[in-house]
Amino acid sequence: MSEELHDHDRGLSFDLPTLQRRKMIRLLAGVGLVPLVGCSSDDSDNSASSASSSSGSSSSAASSGSAECETIPGETAGPYPGDGSNGVNVLKESGVVRKDITSSFGSASGKAEGVPLTVTLTVVDAASGCDTPKEGAAVYLWHCDRDGNYSLYSEGVTEENYLRGVQETDAKGQVTFTSIFPACYTGRWPHIHFEVYGSLEDATNATSITATSQLALPKDVCDTVYATDGYDRSVQNMGQLSLETDNIFSDGYDQQLATTKGSVEKGYTATLTVPV
Protein backbone atom coordinates (compact mmCIF):
# COMPACT_ATOMS: atom_id res chain seq x y z
CA MET A 1 0.00 0.00 0.00
CA SER A 2 1.53 3.33 -1.03
CA GLU A 3 2.09 6.09 1.52
CA GLU A 4 1.50 9.78 1.11
CA LEU A 5 4.71 11.63 0.33
CA HIS A 6 5.24 14.41 2.87
CA ASP A 7 7.26 17.55 2.14
CA HIS A 8 10.07 16.44 4.40
CA ASP A 9 10.36 13.27 2.32
CA ARG A 10 11.38 15.31 -0.71
CA GLY A 11 14.90 15.85 0.61
CA LEU A 12 16.69 16.43 -2.69
CA SER A 13 14.19 18.84 -4.18
CA PHE A 14 14.26 20.99 -1.05
CA ASP A 15 18.02 20.84 -0.54
CA LEU A 16 19.37 20.84 -4.13
CA PRO A 17 20.17 24.58 -4.29
CA THR A 18 22.10 24.33 -1.03
CA LEU A 19 23.88 21.17 -2.12
CA GLN A 20 24.92 22.70 -5.45
CA ARG A 21 26.25 25.76 -3.64
CA ARG A 22 28.25 23.61 -1.27
CA LYS A 23 29.70 21.47 -4.04
CA MET A 24 31.03 24.63 -5.71
CA ILE A 25 32.56 25.82 -2.45
CA ARG A 26 34.31 22.45 -2.06
CA LEU A 27 35.56 22.56 -5.63
CA LEU A 28 37.13 25.96 -5.02
CA ALA A 29 38.51 24.85 -1.67
CA GLY A 30 40.23 21.94 -3.42
CA VAL A 31 42.37 24.36 -5.44
CA GLY A 32 43.07 26.62 -2.50
CA LEU A 33 40.79 29.49 -3.48
CA VAL A 34 38.26 29.21 -0.67
CA PRO A 35 38.93 28.08 2.92
CA LEU A 36 36.86 25.08 4.04
CA VAL A 37 34.72 26.31 6.92
CA GLY A 38 31.32 25.42 8.27
CA CYS A 39 28.58 28.03 7.83
CA SER A 40 24.83 27.79 8.23
CA SER A 41 23.09 25.71 5.56
CA ASP A 42 25.33 23.24 3.72
CA ASP A 43 26.85 19.65 3.60
CA SER A 44 29.83 17.30 4.65
CA ASP A 45 33.49 16.19 4.13
CA ASN A 46 35.57 13.07 3.29
CA SER A 47 33.59 9.82 3.52
CA ALA A 48 34.22 7.20 6.15
CA SER A 49 32.72 3.88 7.05
CA SER A 50 30.58 3.28 10.13
CA ALA A 51 31.56 0.81 12.76
CA SER A 52 30.43 -2.41 13.89
CA SER A 53 28.20 -4.80 15.67
CA SER A 54 24.43 -5.23 15.48
CA SER A 55 23.47 -6.77 18.82
CA GLY A 56 20.86 -5.10 21.01
CA SER A 57 23.56 -3.60 23.25
CA SER A 58 25.97 -2.74 20.43
CA SER A 59 27.94 0.45 19.96
CA SER A 60 29.03 2.33 16.87
CA ALA A 61 31.52 5.14 16.38
CA ALA A 62 32.61 7.50 13.66
CA SER A 63 36.14 7.19 12.31
CA SER A 64 38.36 10.11 13.23
CA GLY A 65 38.94 11.33 9.66
CA SER A 66 42.13 13.40 10.03
CA ALA A 67 44.49 14.64 12.70
CA GLU A 68 43.58 18.24 11.88
CA CYS A 69 40.65 20.00 13.50
CA GLU A 70 38.16 21.11 10.87
CA THR A 71 34.95 22.97 11.48
CA ILE A 72 31.79 20.86 11.41
CA PRO A 73 30.50 20.60 7.83
CA GLY A 74 27.65 23.00 7.22
CA GLU A 75 24.32 21.47 6.20
CA THR A 76 20.88 22.71 5.23
CA ALA A 77 18.47 23.22 8.11
CA GLY A 78 15.83 21.66 5.86
CA PRO A 79 12.26 22.85 5.40
CA TYR A 80 11.24 22.43 9.07
CA PRO A 81 13.73 24.31 11.27
CA GLY A 82 11.25 26.19 13.46
CA ASP A 83 13.82 28.98 13.87
CA GLY A 84 11.85 31.66 12.05
CA SER A 85 13.59 31.09 8.70
CA ASN A 86 10.61 29.12 7.40
CA GLY A 87 7.48 30.28 9.16
CA VAL A 88 7.08 29.53 12.86
CA ASN A 89 9.79 30.52 15.38
CA VAL A 90 9.86 28.23 18.42
CA LEU A 91 13.11 29.76 19.70
CA LYS A 92 11.33 32.83 21.06
CA GLU A 93 8.80 30.79 23.01
CA SER A 94 9.07 30.49 26.77
CA GLY A 95 10.05 26.93 27.68
CA VAL A 96 12.25 26.13 24.68
CA VAL A 97 15.37 26.11 26.87
CA ARG A 98 15.23 22.58 28.24
CA LYS A 99 17.04 19.26 28.43
CA ASP A 100 14.10 16.86 27.97
CA ILE A 101 12.56 17.44 24.54
CA THR A 102 10.30 14.39 24.38
CA SER A 103 7.19 16.39 25.32
CA SER A 104 5.67 19.57 23.95
CA PHE A 105 5.71 22.69 26.12
CA GLY A 106 3.57 25.77 26.60
CA SER A 107 -0.04 25.23 25.58
CA ALA A 108 0.79 21.96 23.76
CA SER A 109 0.72 18.64 25.61
CA GLY A 110 1.77 15.92 23.17
CA LYS A 111 4.60 13.50 23.81
CA ALA A 112 6.82 11.72 21.30
CA GLU A 113 6.99 7.96 21.83
CA GLY A 114 9.92 5.77 20.86
CA VAL A 115 13.16 4.13 21.97
CA PRO A 116 14.92 6.52 24.40
CA LEU A 117 17.91 8.44 23.01
CA THR A 118 20.20 10.83 24.89
CA VAL A 119 22.19 13.17 22.64
CA THR A 120 25.35 14.93 23.87
CA LEU A 121 27.14 17.45 21.67
CA THR A 122 30.53 18.87 22.65
CA VAL A 123 31.13 22.26 21.06
CA VAL A 124 34.83 23.12 20.70
CA ASP A 125 36.89 25.90 19.18
CA ALA A 126 38.26 24.73 15.82
CA ALA A 127 40.90 27.48 15.74
CA SER A 128 42.49 26.06 18.90
CA GLY A 129 42.81 22.60 17.34
CA CYS A 130 39.60 21.42 19.03
CA ASP A 131 41.32 21.67 22.43
CA THR A 132 39.19 24.50 23.84
CA PRO A 133 35.55 23.91 24.85
CA LYS A 134 33.12 26.65 23.86
CA GLU A 135 31.55 27.40 27.25
CA GLY A 136 28.50 29.65 27.13
CA ALA A 137 27.57 28.87 23.54
CA ALA A 138 24.13 27.44 22.79
CA VAL A 139 22.72 24.61 20.70
CA TYR A 140 19.25 24.34 19.21
CA LEU A 141 18.48 20.69 18.35
CA TRP A 142 15.48 19.19 16.54
CA HIS A 143 14.46 16.03 14.68
CA CYS A 144 11.47 14.04 13.44
CA ASP A 145 9.41 11.67 15.57
CA ARG A 146 8.92 7.90 15.32
CA ASP A 147 6.55 8.36 12.39
CA GLY A 148 8.88 10.65 10.47
CA ASN A 149 6.86 13.78 11.29
CA TYR A 150 8.23 17.17 12.38
CA SER A 151 6.35 19.05 15.07
CA LEU A 152 4.99 22.47 14.06
CA TYR A 153 4.90 21.47 10.38
CA SER A 154 3.73 17.93 9.61
CA GLU A 155 0.04 17.08 9.33
CA GLY A 156 -1.36 15.98 12.67
CA VAL A 157 1.41 17.58 14.78
CA THR A 158 1.27 21.23 13.73
CA GLU A 159 0.07 22.17 17.22
CA GLU A 160 2.91 20.26 18.90
CA ASN A 161 6.48 21.48 19.52
CA TYR A 162 8.11 18.33 20.87
CA LEU A 163 11.58 17.14 19.81
CA ARG A 164 12.88 20.71 19.79
CA GLY A 165 14.96 22.41 22.44
CA VAL A 166 17.84 24.70 23.33
CA GLN A 167 20.67 24.19 25.82
CA GLU A 168 23.61 26.37 26.90
CA THR A 169 27.01 24.68 26.80
CA ASP A 170 28.73 24.02 30.13
CA ALA A 171 32.41 24.35 31.08
CA LYS A 172 33.15 21.26 28.96
CA GLY A 173 31.37 22.76 25.97
CA GLN A 174 28.64 20.15 26.30
CA VAL A 175 24.88 20.09 25.94
CA THR A 176 22.72 17.04 26.57
CA PHE A 177 19.19 16.38 25.32
CA THR A 178 16.84 13.61 26.41
CA SER A 179 14.84 12.48 23.38
CA ILE A 180 13.67 9.47 21.36
CA PHE A 181 15.28 7.72 18.41
CA PRO A 182 14.07 9.41 15.19
CA ALA A 183 12.53 7.57 12.24
CA CYS A 184 14.01 6.95 8.85
CA TYR A 185 11.64 8.67 6.45
CA THR A 186 11.56 8.41 2.65
CA GLY A 187 14.66 9.77 0.96
CA ARG A 188 16.78 10.62 4.03
CA TRP A 189 19.23 8.76 6.22
CA PRO A 190 18.31 8.90 9.95
CA HIS A 191 19.61 12.21 11.23
CA ILE A 192 19.31 15.00 13.80
CA HIS A 193 19.47 18.71 12.99
CA PHE A 194 21.27 21.28 15.12
CA GLU A 195 22.29 24.93 15.09
CA VAL A 196 25.10 26.41 17.18
CA TYR A 197 24.83 29.97 18.49
CA GLY A 198 27.39 32.18 20.19
CA SER A 199 25.26 32.52 23.31
CA LEU A 200 21.94 31.51 24.82
CA GLU A 201 20.68 35.05 24.20
CA ASP A 202 21.51 34.70 20.50
CA ALA A 203 19.69 31.38 20.35
CA THR A 204 16.50 32.55 22.02
CA ASN A 205 16.47 35.62 19.77
CA ALA A 206 17.17 33.44 16.72
CA THR A 207 20.11 35.60 15.63
CA SER A 208 23.76 35.10 14.71
CA ILE A 209 23.92 31.38 13.95
CA THR A 210 27.50 30.14 14.21
CA ALA A 211 26.96 26.80 12.45
CA THR A 212 24.16 24.63 11.09
CA SER A 213 24.72 20.91 10.62
CA GLN A 214 23.28 17.42 10.96
CA LEU A 215 24.22 14.37 13.02
CA ALA A 216 24.04 10.96 11.31
CA LEU A 217 23.06 7.80 13.18
CA PRO A 218 24.94 4.52 12.51
CA LYS A 219 23.33 1.74 10.51
CA ASP A 220 23.70 -1.13 12.98
CA VAL A 221 21.92 0.75 15.77
CA CYS A 222 19.23 2.02 13.39
CA ASP A 223 18.54 -1.54 12.21
CA THR A 224 18.18 -2.72 15.79
CA VAL A 225 15.86 0.12 16.83
CA TYR A 226 13.71 -0.14 13.70
CA ALA A 227 13.04 -3.80 14.40
CA THR A 228 10.97 -2.71 17.43
CA ASP A 229 7.27 -1.81 17.54
CA GLY A 230 6.34 1.58 16.13
CA TYR A 231 9.17 1.93 13.63
CA ASP A 232 7.71 -0.31 10.92
CA ARG A 233 7.89 2.24 8.11
CA SER A 234 11.54 2.98 8.87
CA VAL A 235 12.56 -0.58 7.99
CA GLN A 236 11.44 -0.23 4.38
CA ASN A 237 12.86 3.27 4.05
CA MET A 238 16.26 2.20 5.41
CA GLY A 239 16.37 -0.60 2.84
CA GLN A 240 16.40 1.99 0.06
CA LEU A 241 19.21 4.15 1.49
CA SER A 242 22.83 4.23 2.52
CA LEU A 243 25.06 6.95 3.92
CA GLU A 244 26.87 6.94 0.59
CA THR A 245 23.68 7.69 -1.36
CA ASP A 246 21.98 10.07 1.07
CA ASN A 247 21.71 13.50 -0.54
CA ILE A 248 23.28 15.18 2.51
CA PHE A 249 25.91 12.70 3.71
CA SER A 250 26.96 11.26 0.34
CA ASP A 251 29.97 13.56 0.07
CA GLY A 252 31.34 12.52 3.46
CA TYR A 253 30.13 11.95 7.00
CA ASP A 254 33.13 11.14 9.17
CA GLN A 255 32.71 14.33 11.23
CA GLN A 256 28.97 13.81 11.62
CA LEU A 257 28.52 10.12 12.40
CA ALA A 258 27.69 9.90 16.09
CA THR A 259 29.28 7.51 18.53
CA THR A 260 26.23 5.53 19.66
CA LYS A 261 25.97 3.05 22.52
CA GLY A 262 23.25 1.30 24.48
CA SER A 263 20.33 -1.03 23.92
CA VAL A 264 16.64 -0.96 23.09
CA GLU A 265 15.80 -1.93 26.66
CA LYS A 266 17.95 0.72 28.37
CA GLY A 267 17.99 3.35 25.65
CA TYR A 268 20.85 4.73 23.59
CA THR A 269 23.35 7.54 23.88
CA ALA A 270 24.69 9.42 20.85
CA THR A 271 27.72 11.72 21.18
CA LEU A 272 29.41 14.02 18.70
CA THR A 273 32.15 16.66 18.86
CA VAL A 274 31.20 19.86 17.03
CA PRO A 275 34.15 22.11 16.12
CA VAL A 276 33.07 25.67 15.24
Side-chain angles (χ1 to χ4, degrees), residues 187-208:
R188 279 306 317 277
W189 188 263
H191 62 284
I192 294 173
H193 294 269
F194 61 90
E195 293 173 343
V196 181
Y197 291 80
S199 68
L200 187 61
E201 182 179 4
D202 286 345
T204 53
N205 284 289
T207 60
S208 304

PDB file of all heavy atoms in Angstrom, residues 187-208:
ATOM      1  N   GLY A 187      13.679   8.925   1.607  1.00  0.00           N
ATOM      2  CA  GLY A 187      14.660   9.773   0.955  1.00  0.00           C
ATOM      3  C   GLY A 187      15.761  10.345   1.820  1.00  0.00           C
ATOM      4  O   GLY A 187      16.657  11.012   1.313  1.00  0.00           O
ATOM      5  N   ARG A 188      15.733  10.086   3.151  1.00  0.00           N
ATOM      6  CA  ARG A 188      16.781  10.620   4.027  1.00  0.00           C
ATOM      7  C   ARG A 188      17.273   9.591   5.011  1.00  0.00           C
ATOM      8  O   ARG A 188      16.515   8.851   5.618  1.00  0.00           O
ATOM      9  CB  ARG A 188      16.264  11.834   4.830  1.00  0.00           C
ATOM     10  CG  ARG A 188      16.247  13.165   4.113  1.00  0.00           C
ATOM     11  CD  ARG A 188      17.583  13.579   3.491  1.00  0.00           C
ATOM     12  NE  ARG A 188      18.742  13.332   4.329  1.00  0.00           N
ATOM     13  CZ  ARG A 188      19.169  14.131   5.299  1.00  0.00           C
ATOM     14  NH1 ARG A 188      18.510  15.243   5.586  1.00  0.00           N
ATOM     15  NH2 ARG A 188      20.256  13.827   5.993  1.00  0.00           N
ATOM     16  N   TRP A 189      18.613   9.578   5.189  1.00  0.00           N
ATOM     17  CA  TRP A 189      19.226   8.759   6.218  1.00  0.00           C
ATOM     18  C   TRP A 189      18.829   9.296   7.589  1.00  0.00           C
ATOM     19  O   TRP A 189      18.645  10.508   7.754  1.00  0.00           O
ATOM     20  CB  TRP A 189      20.749   8.799   6.072  1.00  0.00           C
ATOM     21  CG  TRP A 189      21.443   7.839   6.975  1.00  0.00           C
ATOM     22  CD1 TRP A 189      22.012   8.091   8.191  1.00  0.00           C
ATOM     23  CD2 TRP A 189      21.606   6.432   6.757  1.00  0.00           C
ATOM     24  NE1 TRP A 189      22.516   6.946   8.744  1.00  0.00           N
ATOM     25  CE2 TRP A 189      22.283   5.902   7.893  1.00  0.00           C
ATOM     26  CE3 TRP A 189      21.246   5.577   5.709  1.00  0.00           C
ATOM     27  CZ2 TRP A 189      22.609   4.552   7.985  1.00  0.00           C
ATOM     28  CZ3 TRP A 189      21.572   4.233   5.820  1.00  0.00           C
ATOM     29  CH2 TRP A 189      22.239   3.731   6.953  1.00  0.00           C
ATOM     30  N   PRO A 190      18.670   8.438   8.602  1.00  0.00           N
ATOM     31  CA  PRO A 190      18.307   8.901   9.945  1.00  0.00           C
ATOM     32  C   PRO A 190      19.288   9.956  10.459  1.00  0.00           C
ATOM     33  O   PRO A 190      20.500   9.740  10.468  1.00  0.00           O
ATOM     34  CB  PRO A 190      18.365   7.624  10.788  1.00  0.00           C
ATOM     35  CG  PRO A 190      18.104   6.528   9.802  1.00  0.00           C
ATOM     36  CD  PRO A 190      18.763   6.956   8.533  1.00  0.00           C
ATOM     37  N   HIS A 191      18.755  11.082  10.891  1.00  0.00           N
ATOM     38  CA  HIS A 191      19.607  12.214  11.232  1.00  0.00           C
ATOM     39  C   HIS A 191      18.949  13.104  12.276  1.00  0.00           C
ATOM     40  O   HIS A 191      17.748  13.006  12.541  1.00  0.00           O
ATOM     41  CB  HIS A 191      19.897  13.049   9.979  1.00  0.00           C
ATOM     42  CG  HIS A 191      18.659  13.640   9.370  1.00  0.00           C
ATOM     43  ND1 HIS A 191      17.766  12.908   8.620  1.00  0.00           N
ATOM     44  CD2 HIS A 191      18.143  14.908   9.424  1.00  0.00           C
ATOM     45  CE1 HIS A 191      16.771  13.687   8.221  1.00  0.00           C
ATOM     46  NE2 HIS A 191      16.968  14.900   8.700  1.00  0.00           N
ATOM     47  N   ILE A 192      19.761  13.993  12.839  1.00  0.00           N
ATOM     48  CA  ILE A 192      19.305  14.996  13.802  1.00  0.00           C
ATOM     49  C   ILE A 192      19.888  16.338  13.384  1.00  0.00           C
ATOM     50  O   ILE A 192      21.081  16.451  13.092  1.00  0.00           O
ATOM     51  CB  ILE A 192      19.755  14.633  15.230  1.00  0.00           C
ATOM     52  CG1 ILE A 192      19.049  13.348  15.692  1.00  0.00           C
ATOM     53  CG2 ILE A 192      19.483  15.775  16.203  1.00  0.00           C
ATOM     54  CD1 ILE A 192      19.543  12.811  17.028  1.00  0.00           C
ATOM     55  N   HIS A 193      19.042  17.361  13.348  1.00  0.00           N
ATOM     56  CA  HIS A 193      19.475  18.708  12.988  1.00  0.00           C
ATOM     57  C   HIS A 193      19.954  19.464  14.228  1.00  0.00           C
ATOM     58  O   HIS A 193      19.438  19.265  15.328  1.00  0.00           O
ATOM     59  CB  HIS A 193      18.306  19.501  12.394  1.00  0.00           C
ATOM     60  CG  HIS A 193      17.797  18.994  11.093  1.00  0.00           C
ATOM     61  ND1 HIS A 193      18.272  19.448   9.881  1.00  0.00           N
ATOM     62  CD2 HIS A 193      16.840  18.085  10.802  1.00  0.00           C
ATOM     63  CE1 HIS A 193      17.624  18.840   8.894  1.00  0.00           C
ATOM     64  NE2 HIS A 193      16.748  18.000   9.430  1.00  0.00           N
ATOM     65  N   PHE A 194      20.904  20.373  14.025  1.00  0.00           N
ATOM     66  CA  PHE A 194      21.266  21.275  15.122  1.00  0.00           C
ATOM     67  C   PHE A 194      21.875  22.568  14.583  1.00  0.00           C
ATOM     68  O   PHE A 194      22.469  22.600  13.496  1.00  0.00           O
ATOM     69  CB  PHE A 194      22.221  20.611  16.121  1.00  0.00           C
ATOM     70  CG  PHE A 194      23.547  20.165  15.552  1.00  0.00           C
ATOM     71  CD1 PHE A 194      24.644  21.017  15.537  1.00  0.00           C
ATOM     72  CD2 PHE A 194      23.697  18.883  15.036  1.00  0.00           C
ATOM     73  CE1 PHE A 194      25.859  20.602  15.022  1.00  0.00           C
ATOM     74  CE2 PHE A 194      24.915  18.460  14.514  1.00  0.00           C
ATOM     75  CZ  PHE A 194      26.001  19.319  14.513  1.00  0.00           C
ATOM     76  N   GLU A 195      21.683  23.625  15.351  1.00  0.00           N
ATOM     77  CA  GLU A 195      22.291  24.929  15.088  1.00  0.00           C
ATOM     78  C   GLU A 195      23.086  25.341  16.314  1.00  0.00           C
ATOM     79  O   GLU A 195      22.638  25.150  17.448  1.00  0.00           O
ATOM     80  CB  GLU A 195      21.223  25.991  14.803  1.00  0.00           C
ATOM     81  CG  GLU A 195      20.467  25.764  13.504  1.00  0.00           C
ATOM     82  CD  GLU A 195      19.309  26.725  13.307  1.00  0.00           C
ATOM     83  OE1 GLU A 195      18.877  27.367  14.301  1.00  0.00           O
ATOM     84  OE2 GLU A 195      18.823  26.810  12.157  1.00  0.00           O
ATOM     85  N   VAL A 196      24.268  25.908  16.096  1.00  0.00           N
ATOM     86  CA  VAL A 196      25.104  26.415  17.183  1.00  0.00           C
ATOM     87  C   VAL A 196      25.061  27.936  17.159  1.00  0.00           C
ATOM     88  O   VAL A 196      25.190  28.555  16.096  1.00  0.00           O
ATOM     89  CB  VAL A 196      26.562  25.933  17.048  1.00  0.00           C
ATOM     90  CG1 VAL A 196      27.408  26.456  18.217  1.00  0.00           C
ATOM     91  CG2 VAL A 196      26.621  24.406  16.992  1.00  0.00           C
ATOM     92  N   TYR A 197      24.869  28.517  18.330  1.00  0.00           N
ATOM     93  CA  TYR A 197      24.833  29.970  18.491  1.00  0.00           C
ATOM     94  C   TYR A 197      25.945  30.408  19.431  1.00  0.00           C
ATOM     95  O   TYR A 197      26.421  29.620  20.266  1.00  0.00           O
ATOM     96  CB  TYR A 197      23.488  30.404  19.069  1.00  0.00           C
ATOM     97  CG  TYR A 197      22.315  30.225  18.136  1.00  0.00           C
ATOM     98  CD1 TYR A 197      21.706  28.978  17.974  1.00  0.00           C
ATOM     99  CD2 TYR A 197      21.803  31.302  17.413  1.00  0.00           C
ATOM    100  CE1 TYR A 197      20.628  28.812  17.121  1.00  0.00           C
ATOM    101  CE2 TYR A 197      20.720  31.148  16.556  1.00  0.00           C
ATOM    102  CZ  TYR A 197      20.137  29.898  16.414  1.00  0.00           C
ATOM    103  OH  TYR A 197      19.075  29.735  15.565  1.00  0.00           O
ATOM    104  N   GLY A 198      26.325  31.682  19.339  1.00  0.00           N
ATOM    105  CA  GLY A 198      27.392  32.183  20.191  1.00  0.00           C
ATOM    106  C   GLY A 198      27.014  32.267  21.652  1.00  0.00           C
ATOM    107  O   GLY A 198      27.876  32.196  22.529  1.00  0.00           O
ATOM    108  N   SER A 199      25.724  32.403  21.927  1.00  0.00           N
ATOM    109  CA  SER A 199      25.256  32.520  23.312  1.00  0.00           C
ATOM    110  C   SER A 199      23.805  32.077  23.395  1.00  0.00           C
ATOM    111  O   SER A 199      23.114  31.961  22.375  1.00  0.00           O
ATOM    112  CB  SER A 199      25.373  33.967  23.800  1.00  0.00           C
ATOM    113  OG  SER A 199      24.458  34.803  23.100  1.00  0.00           O
ATOM    114  N   LEU A 200      23.340  31.869  24.608  1.00  0.00           N
ATOM    115  CA  LEU A 200      21.940  31.514  24.821  1.00  0.00           C
ATOM    116  C   LEU A 200      21.029  32.663  24.392  1.00  0.00           C
ATOM    117  O   LEU A 200      19.953  32.442  23.827  1.00  0.00           O
ATOM    118  CB  LEU A 200      21.701  31.171  26.293  1.00  0.00           C
ATOM    119  CG  LEU A 200      20.327  30.610  26.650  1.00  0.00           C
ATOM    120  CD1 LEU A 200      20.064  29.298  25.921  1.00  0.00           C
ATOM    121  CD2 LEU A 200      20.215  30.401  28.158  1.00  0.00           C
ATOM    122  N   GLU A 201      21.470  33.887  24.618  1.00  0.00           N
ATOM    123  CA  GLU A 201      20.680  35.045  24.196  1.00  0.00           C
ATOM    124  C   GLU A 201      20.517  35.075  22.680  1.00  0.00           C
ATOM    125  O   GLU A 201      19.428  35.353  22.160  1.00  0.00           O
ATOM    126  CB  GLU A 201      21.338  36.338  24.678  1.00  0.00           C
ATOM    127  CG  GLU A 201      20.543  37.587  24.320  1.00  0.00           C
ATOM    128  CD  GLU A 201      21.189  38.864  24.811  1.00  0.00           C
ATOM    129  OE1 GLU A 201      22.312  38.792  25.366  1.00  0.00           O
ATOM    130  OE2 GLU A 201      20.577  39.938  24.654  1.00  0.00           O
ATOM    131  N   ASP A 202      21.599  34.768  21.963  1.00  0.00           N
ATOM    132  CA  ASP A 202      21.509  34.702  20.500  1.00  0.00           C
ATOM    133  C   ASP A 202      20.511  33.638  20.064  1.00  0.00           C
ATOM    134  O   ASP A 202      19.715  33.849  19.143  1.00  0.00           O
ATOM    135  CB  ASP A 202      22.879  34.397  19.887  1.00  0.00           C
ATOM    136  CG  ASP A 202      23.829  35.586  19.918  1.00  0.00           C
ATOM    137  OD1 ASP A 202      23.363  36.718  20.140  1.00  0.00           O
ATOM    138  OD2 ASP A 202      25.039  35.365  19.722  1.00  0.00           O
ATOM    139  N   ALA A 203      20.567  32.490  20.721  1.00  0.00           N
ATOM    140  CA  ALA A 203      19.692  31.378  20.345  1.00  0.00           C
ATOM    141  C   ALA A 203      18.226  31.725  20.556  1.00  0.00           C
ATOM    142  O   ALA A 203      17.383  31.493  19.679  1.00  0.00           O
ATOM    143  CB  ALA A 203      20.051  30.127  21.130  1.00  0.00           C
ATOM    144  N   THR A 204      17.902  32.270  21.709  1.00  0.00           N
ATOM    145  CA  THR A 204      16.502  32.553  22.016  1.00  0.00           C
ATOM    146  C   THR A 204      15.980  33.793  21.294  1.00  0.00           C
ATOM    147  O   THR A 204      14.781  34.063  21.321  1.00  0.00           O
ATOM    148  CB  THR A 204      16.296  32.707  23.533  1.00  0.00           C
ATOM    149  OG1 THR A 204      17.215  33.675  24.050  1.00  0.00           O
ATOM    150  CG2 THR A 204      16.522  31.372  24.238  1.00  0.00           C
ATOM    151  N   ASN A 205      16.880  34.530  20.651  1.00  0.00           N
ATOM    152  CA  ASN A 205      16.470  35.622  19.770  1.00  0.00           C
ATOM    153  C   ASN A 205      16.588  35.227  18.307  1.00  0.00           C
ATOM    154  O   ASN A 205      16.301  36.036  17.416  1.00  0.00           O
ATOM    155  CB  ASN A 205      17.309  36.876  20.039  1.00  0.00           C
ATOM    156  CG  ASN A 205      16.895  37.600  21.298  1.00  0.00           C
ATOM    157  OD1 ASN A 205      15.833  38.219  21.346  1.00  0.00           O
ATOM    158  ND2 ASN A 205      17.715  37.517  22.332  1.00  0.00           N
ATOM    159  N   ALA A 206      17.019  33.977  18.074  1.00  0.00           N
ATOM    160  CA  ALA A 206      17.167  33.435  16.720  1.00  0.00           C
ATOM    161  C   ALA A 206      18.035  34.321  15.843  1.00  0.00           C
ATOM    162  O   ALA A 206      17.696  34.628  14.699  1.00  0.00           O
ATOM    163  CB  ALA A 206      15.797  33.212  16.081  1.00  0.00           C
ATOM    164  N   THR A 207      19.183  34.749  16.388  1.00  0.00           N
ATOM    165  CA  THR A 207      20.106  35.597  15.633  1.00  0.00           C
ATOM    166  C   THR A 207      21.512  35.044  15.701  1.00  0.00           C
ATOM    167  O   THR A 207      21.864  34.302  16.628  1.00  0.00           O
ATOM    168  CB  THR A 207      20.120  37.030  16.193  1.00  0.00           C
ATOM    169  OG1 THR A 207      20.533  36.998  17.574  1.00  0.00           O
ATOM    170  CG2 THR A 207      18.760  37.686  16.097  1.00  0.00           C
ATOM    171  N   SER A 208      22.328  35.394  14.708  1.00  0.00           N
ATOM    172  CA  SER A 208      23.763  35.105  14.709  1.00  0.00           C
ATOM    173  C   SER A 208      24.075  33.619  14.870  1.00  0.00           C
ATOM    174  O   SER A 208      24.750  33.207  15.819  1.00  0.00           O
ATOM    175  CB  SER A 208      24.471  35.904  15.818  1.00  0.00           C
ATOM    176  OG  SER A 208      24.230  37.280  15.687  1.00  0.00           O
TER     177      SER A 208
END
